């Protein structure tokens, strides 16, 4: 197909496709004549993957290129490269370091679960920051609390891996690995919002469940 | 304490504290003389809450004010207000709407779990977008797959609610509700990264588990 058809099929403007090609995010098409290049279904798939990385994942061009480069290598590299490209979250206040105590607690949790993880897995830093944020408001989570989060993570990770096994080709599995890493957090977060509302209905049974109060804010000052 | 002490205790510069006061994010201190105002432990706690909303949660001043305003109301409002302030994620490509099909599937999932959720819970949109992203690469998750994510969400939501019950005061519970909503997704995401590495070790048993390949990207073009 021509680039105009590739654009129609993917909903991505031709100019953007050409930009992806220049940046090396899409493989070149097959040149048929000096002014005609052919694209195929593999390109359609590639465009969708690039969109997932750039838009949904918010990755930079360089990071997206690094992740895509791993598709020719071992699958575990693709996972690791995607995790690293996604990073560890928003920049912190200058001078605020993740505490060694929080990092040790997350490492202990992983060890207790028997997880085989490398020391540079970004998840250690991501989770440790949360423990520091909790500590700042005087919340020290119990072992049971962290075990519940760890069990939830295991549950979804196993579902993810089962889904990878079911894909029709190694390429399709690699795609899902990337997209699942990039957007899967949001699936967990969205369902957590719903589960919170339900669990809160139990905690505060008298509260009307209908809707969110849209009234304007007016924070009262103490007398 | 004076504002300088409040600054030292919280690590937030005096100028930033004054900005928070002007914006109504912090309650005024108690004026003792014309040029001396007293702050107390409640202010220390407020400052940490504001930091959690603005920095960790990335909320705007207006959204943070709206969330803080709910602290004087019913606890379920605080949950809902925080969920709404956090929003539904990155802006999408213009013209890309979340599909009715994906929204219906998430609503079905919630109904199957027996979750009591309102139609404006942002989790519906957040999760539905992920299903659309999956569909774009031809991945149609099975019911078992979604059930695994839903069970994980229930597990962590119940742990969150149990932690709320254990807090020493309604104020402390409200704080945890806000901070837990803002940063709890990251705890789940961090542990998911770790669980993925472990689950991948099972999937690809021959892959070295040590580290992430830091080599520069060089995407090969097809011949």
């Amino acid at each position: 197909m021509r680039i105009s058809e590739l654009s129609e099929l993917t909903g991505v403007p031709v100019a953007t496709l050409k930009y992806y090609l220049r940046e090396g995010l899409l493989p070149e098409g097959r040149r048929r004549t000096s002014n005609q290049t052919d694209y195929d279904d593999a390109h359609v798939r590639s465009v969708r993957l690039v969109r997932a990385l750039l838009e949904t994942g918010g990755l930079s061009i360089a990071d997206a290129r690094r992740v895509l480069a791993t598709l020719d290598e071992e699958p575990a590299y693709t996972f690791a490269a995607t995790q690293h490209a996604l990073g560890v979250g928003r920049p912190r206040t200058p001078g605020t370091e993740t505490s060694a105590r929080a990092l040790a607690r997350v490492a202990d949790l992983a060890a207790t679960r028997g997880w085989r993880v490398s020391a540079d897995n970004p998840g250690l830093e991501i989770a440790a920051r949360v423990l520091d944020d909790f500590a700042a408001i005087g919340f020290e989570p119990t072992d049971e609390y962290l075990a519940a989060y760890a069990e939830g993570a295991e549950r979804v990770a196993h579902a993810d891996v089962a889904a990878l096994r079911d894909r029709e080709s190694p390429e399709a599995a690699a795609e899902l690995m990337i997209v699942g890493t990039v957007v899967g957090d949001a699936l967990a977060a969205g369902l957590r919002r719903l589960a919170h509302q339900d669990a809160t209905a139990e905690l505060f049974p008298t509260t009307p469940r209908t809707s969110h109060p849209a009234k304007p804010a007016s924070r009262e000052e103490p007398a």
Side-chain angles (χ1 to χ4, degrees), chain A residues 79-94:
Chain A
F79 238 131
T82 309
Q83 291 190 342
H84 280 266
L86 285 172
V88 295
R90 297 169 56 82
R92 310 212 87 172
T93 322

Side-chain angles (χ1 to χ4, degrees), chain A residues 118-130:
Chain A
S118 49
D120 68 347
N121 187 306
L124 293 167
E125 171 76 21
I126 296 170
R129 287 186 181 190
V130 177

Side-chain angles (χ1 to χ4, degrees), chain A residues 1-73:
Chain A
M1 70 185 84
R2 299 187 180 210
I3 197 164
S4 56
E5 286 172 79
L6 182 62
S7 167
E8 266 174 49
L9 266 174
T10 58
V12 177
V14 170
T16 308
L17 292 177
K18 288 187 173 169
Y19 173 65
Y20 292 167
L21 286 163
R22 275 200 308 278
E23 292 290 340
L25 297 177
L26 286 183
E28 297 287 338
R30 214 173 124 207
R31 190 145 299 193
R32 282 180 44 184
T33 67
S34 61
N35 59 4
Q36 197 184 328
T37 309
D38 252 13
Y39 299 90
D40 57 23
D41 288 346
H43 287 95
V44 176
R45 170 168 270 175
S46 289
V47 171
R48 287 181 178 148
L49 201 53
V50 169
R51 293 298 257 192
L53 289 169
L54 298 183
E55 292 195 5
T56 316
L59 264 56
S60 69
I61 297 283
D63 280 340
R65 196 160 35 212
R66 206 164 292 128
V67 169
L68 294 168
T70 65
L71 289 176
D72 307 317
E73 303 176 36

Side-chain angles (χ1 to χ4, degrees), chain A residues 56-210:
Chain A
T56 316
L59 264 56
S60 69
I61 297 283
D63 280 340
R65 196 160 35 212
R66 206 164 292 128
V67 169
L68 294 168
T70 65
L71 289 176
D72 307 317
E73 303 176 36
E74 289 207 55
Y77 284 173
T78 301
F79 238 131
T82 309
Q83 291 190 342
H84 280 266
L86 285 172
V88 295
R90 297 169 56 82
R92 310 212 87 172
T93 322
T96 317
E97 295 293 322
T98 306
S99 74
R101 184 165 162 270
L103 286 165
R105 187 145 192 222
V106 178
D108 279 353
L109 177 65
T112 305
R113 310 299 301 182
W115 290 347
R116 291 152 292 181
V117 295
S118 49
D120 68 347
N121 187 306
L124 293 167
E125 171 76 21
I126 296 170
R129 287 186 181 190
V130 177
L131 298 189
D132 280 341
D133 290 327
F134 282 161
I137 60 155
F139 173 54
E140 295 295 338
T142 60
D143 287 344
E144 290 69 32
Y145 182 89
L146 292 182
Y149 270 80
E151 280 164 26
E154 275 175 17
R155 189 90 186 77
V156 303
H158 284 121
D160 286 337
V161 166
L164 290 181
R165 287 188 205 273
D166 287 347
R167 295 286 276 175
E168 72 276 14
S169 70
E171 293 74 29
E175 267 182 21
L176 177 57
M177 205 183 286
I178 291 177
V179 173
T181 302
V182 169
V183 304
D185 291 338
L187 181 57
L191 296 180
R192 186 169 168 265
R193 300 267 183 288
L194 299 173
H196 269 161
Q197 189 177 11
D198 182 60
T200 314
E202 282 166 33
L203 188 63
F204 316 115
T206 59
T207 304
R209 286 180 211 139
T210 49

